[in-house]
């Protein structure tokens, strides 16, 4: 068990933490089988058949490294978004890109502004590079734009994280407010505008590409993991000015992309009809989750994502008991990590079989806890 | 083109460099098609049919994140190697793991010892974390173990890189010499023993797992990219003490692995008969490359890898002309980056069709240059 004795002081001070415990780990630890996998904001509707076919077709080429310039994917995304391929940087999911962004901007001790209870993996990367987290509480279960701006100015922070739509609450801001926030930021503050759930929100929640593409301090992160149903594929991208996007070339793992993941992303982008169909299913499943919550006397929060936060009406210990109790029934869900958000449980959408398992288990769990 | 104005000073000083230009980029830049892809030390014999089947079977599960603990793969590797799964850390190829290793150990200005002309991607990561490269020349086209040890001691270096078998020269040391080197190192110096080509060398070039597993300062890196034919899949691993292996949990991208890549690695590990068959083909192709070289008056260097370095008998400019000339014939190869290694060209093994293209093109190129 002995470890190397000369890790950097920063590394020595870090815990061997995991931002999220996976459902497989829960299965192993508790000896339980996950029957309804609706906890990690995956998309159980899965990718298009055309995407599966593209991956299977590409399998025979797996002996070749992927193009380190990600040319075809950046070109396709550029056409899709109406921008130049040079405005795009590709990475192994938003998680990897967040790590790169923090590394590009944060030195040990530098302040980083985020919302209290927002995405833990971002915080993991901030800690990993020695940044100092400055958190702003949510207001009415939404990130507090005014509070974030005030914190950025007070701290002269080089980096601020903001997700729209938000995880873990599912809430959102309108595009105009976000653009106003971005333009009010000091140009010496980089804003991560995490748009992992951009495909599932109301139209007016998504700033146009043109509205922010001239700002070198704004990086928008998007992914094929959510609406496109490719979480296990690991493909995300950054949209920014060409100058900022090219900074990723200084540090990224150029030969890091899986070749089948690229084929999958290209095929997914082509099949917008399938995406629209899945988004409709996601909306319907959100409503389904909301009805289940209400039938059990719980309040679903409005959601622009592929999950629904449900207010349990009590505290974090109670929500934790529901999460643990549901797992006894094979229903894997999660919950926000900090108060007051952690009065909620968070249920991801999924096909009807998973929704039905949740519907069946929830009242039993609540009865046991009553 | 304007870029964010407040990247860290370290980032600001880095070039937007690419350790290797991919064959796709060469095709685009020069308007040429690659007909024989034998430059990136890929394995054109490809993975086992059972591996392709495993990837295709797993495609339907791509909507799920991969197990962040990589439990099944670490378990399978542990059984395969006769060690505990806790002795293993998984990453997206050795390239990603090298970046993590440098980050774990190197602060800005710290000396890092490697051989002059060794793996450029390692150097890329060292530069990316502000390390100071201390290089030791090859001797007789082999890495110089005594010289590396002397440099480590002189510099009190926290990190030394050594590949066995070596890339780009294909040379190797015997296991006893490597174990002696590892045991002679200060315990405050981490050694990366890069064994990307461990499957293709002579038996006596590979230290046993037991011979080094008690040393917390030794990390052995291995991959499914080479002999297993899965370069585009991106799966590598570290073998070390449990304590050192677990340090990777502090910084790695826990949800970073592609789900099909894991399925592929598990299947590849199971199919050792296929691996043995491919290794035989690699040996035969090495011999084939050697015969082609000699038939053209060039000297192939002995190789323990899936490529052959060929001494052109002249300088780097001449070797570069051969590399560029071969590409005119659709034959993609590479060459070492620094003198005197760059008197060589480096040709990766491949199926007979690629070998035949090389055989056909080489004399034409040499004739043009004469």
């Amino acid at each position: 068990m002995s470890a190397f004795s000369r890790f950097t002081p920063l590394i020595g001070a870090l815990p061997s933490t995991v931002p999220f415990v996976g459902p497989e780990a829960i299965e192993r630890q508790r000896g339980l089988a996950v029957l309804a996998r609706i906890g990690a904001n995956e998309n159980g509707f899965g990718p298009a058949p055309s995407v599966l076919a593209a991956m299977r077709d590409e399998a025979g080429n797996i002996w070749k490294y992927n193009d380190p310039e990600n040319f075809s994917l950046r070109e396709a995304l550029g056409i899709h978004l109406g921008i130049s391929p040079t405005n795009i940087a590709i990475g192994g999911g938003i998680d990897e890109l967040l790590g790169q962004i923090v590394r590009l901007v944060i030195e040990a001790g530098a302040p980083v502004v985020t919302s209290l209870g927002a995405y833990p993996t971002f915080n993991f990367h901030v800690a990993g590079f020695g940044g100092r987290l400055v958190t702003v509480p949510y207001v009415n279960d939404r990130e507090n734009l005014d509070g974030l701006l005030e914190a950025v100015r007070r701290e002269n922070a080089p980096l601020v994280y903001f997700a729209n739509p938000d995880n873990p609450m599912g809430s959102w801001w309108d595009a105009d407010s976000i653009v106003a926030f971005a333009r009010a930021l000091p140009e010496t503050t980089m804003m991560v505008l995490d748009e992992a759930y951009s495909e599932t929100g109301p139209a007016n929640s998504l700033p146009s590409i043109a509205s922010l593409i001239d700002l070198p301090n704004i990086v928008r992160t998007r992914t094929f993991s959510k609406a496109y149903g490719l979480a296990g594929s690991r493909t995300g991208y950054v949209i920014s000015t060409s100058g900022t996007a090219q900074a990723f070339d200084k540090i990224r793992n150029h030969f890091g992309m899986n070749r089948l993941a690229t084929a999958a992303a290209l095929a997914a982008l082509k099949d917008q009809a399938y995406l629209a169909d899945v988004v409709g299913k996601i909306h319907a499943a959100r409503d389904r989750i909301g009805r289940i919550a209400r039938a059990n006397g719980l309040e679903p929060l409005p959601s622009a994502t592929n999950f629904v936060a449900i207010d349990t009406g009590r505290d974090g210990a109670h929500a934790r008991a529901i999460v643990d109790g549901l797992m006894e029934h094979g229903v894997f869900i999660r919950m926000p990590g900090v108060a007051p958000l952690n009065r909620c449980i968070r249920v991801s959408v999924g096909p009807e079989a998973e929704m039905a398992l949740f519907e069946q288990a929830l009242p039993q769990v609540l009865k046991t806890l009553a």
Side-chain angles (χ1 to χ4, degrees), chain A:
Chain A
M1 266 304 294
S2 63
F4 181 58
S5 58
R6 199 180 176 186
F7 290 124
T8 70
L10 172 59
I11 295 296
L14 288 176
S16 286
T17 192
V18 181
F20 292 104
V21 179
E24 298 84 0
I26 295 172
E27 286 182 317
R28 288 189 294 269
Q29 287 162 10
R30 297 183 56 183
L32 296 168
V34 169
L35 306 174
R37 188 168 161 129
I38 49 176
N41 302 344
E42 296 160 333
N43 175 358
F45 300 112
S50 61
V51 171
L52 297 182
M55 286 193 289
R56 290 175 178 138
D57 286 351
E58 187 64 15
N61 285 322
I62 197 72
W63 63 274
K64 303 175 189 172
Y65 288 107
N66 192 61
D67 172 18
E69 299 186 358
N70 297 302
F71 183 84
S72 56
L73 184 53
R74 288 191 300 115
E75 189 175 56
L77 284 167
I79 290 167
H80 181 68
L81 298 167
I83 48 179
S84 162
T86 60
N87 290 118
I88 294 161
I90 306 288
I94 291 177
D95 282 1
E96 180 179 82
L97 291 163
L98 290 177
Q100 292 172 354
I101 291 165
V102 173
R103 182 175 160 195
L104 286 170
V105 175
I106 296 304
E107 294 189 289
V112 178
V113 175
T114 186
S115 297
L116 180 61
Y119 194 46
T121 304
F122 177 73
N123 299 354
F124 170 79
H125 289 307
V126 171
F129 288 100
R132 177 171 57 82
L133 275 179
V134 177
T135 57
V136 176
Y138 283 62
V139 173
N140 295 328
D141 299 319
R142 275 210 303 190
E143 295 198 60
N144 176 3
L145 283 174
D146 288 344
L148 291 167
L149 186 58
E150 195 278 321
V152 163
R153 287 176 173 153
R154 186 184 70 236
E155 300 277 350
N156 183 24
L159 185 61
V160 57
Y161 175 88
F162 175 77
N164 192 66
D166 177 68
N167 176 17
M169 302 311 284
S171 53
W172 67 97
W173 281 86
D174 61 284
D176 289 349
S177 300
I178 292 163
V179 172
F181 174 84
R183 295 202 167 268
L185 283 174
E187 65 180 25
T188 50
T189 300
M190 179 172 279
M191 174 193 191
V192 179
L193 175 54
D194 187 344
E195 301 183 321
Y197 301 97
S198 60
E199 295 88 358
T200 51
N204 76 346
S205 68
L206 191 64
S208 71
I209 294 295
S211 66
L212 296 170
I213 196 66
D214 62 315
L215 297 175
N217 62 325
I218 310 297
V219 292
R220 304 170 77 161
T221 55
R222 295 191 180 179
T223 184
F224 287 90
S225 297
K226 304 301 180 184
Y228 286 104
L230 288 167
S233 187
R234 311 285 60 225
T235 308
Y237 56 101
V238 153
I239 306 167
S240 190
T241 62
S242 295
T244 295
Q246 281 165 36
F248 290 81
D249 286 340
K250 297 182 173 194
I251 58 166
R252 71 186 176 88
N253 185 9
H254 291 263
F255 288 84
M257 294 298 295
N258 179 289
R259 197 169 176 100
L260 273 51
T262 297
L266 284 168
L269 212 51
K270 270 191 193 149
D271 207 337
Q272 292 294 312
Y274 181 87
L275 177 69
D277 184 56
V278 162
V279 168
K281 287 178 179 166
I282 290 171
H283 291 171
R286 283 197 316 230
D287 292 345
R288 177 95 166 88
I289 294 169
R291 287 194 300 276
I292 295 169
R294 286 202 186 88
N296 287 276
L298 308 180
E299 187 59 30
L301 273 55
S303 171
T305 61
N306 72 342
F307 60 84
V308 179
I310 298 172
D311 190 337
T312 69
R314 291 175 55 185
D315 65 359
H318 182 64
R320 168 56 56 202
I322 295 175
V323 169
D324 289 346
L326 283 170
M327 188 60 212
E328 297 282 340
H329 295 261
V331 177
F332 164 65
I333 68 166
R334 285 196 177 122
M335 60 179 285
V338 302
L341 314 182
N342 67 358
R343 72 189 193 283
C344 296
I345 58 174
R346 196 194 67 179
V347 182
S348 308
V349 302
E352 176 50 31
E354 280 71 34
M355 298 293 95
L357 282 170
F358 174 58
E359 182 176 39
Q360 201 170 29
L362 182 60
Q364 297 180 53
V365 171
L366 292 174
K367 192 174 165 188
T368 308
L369 295 175

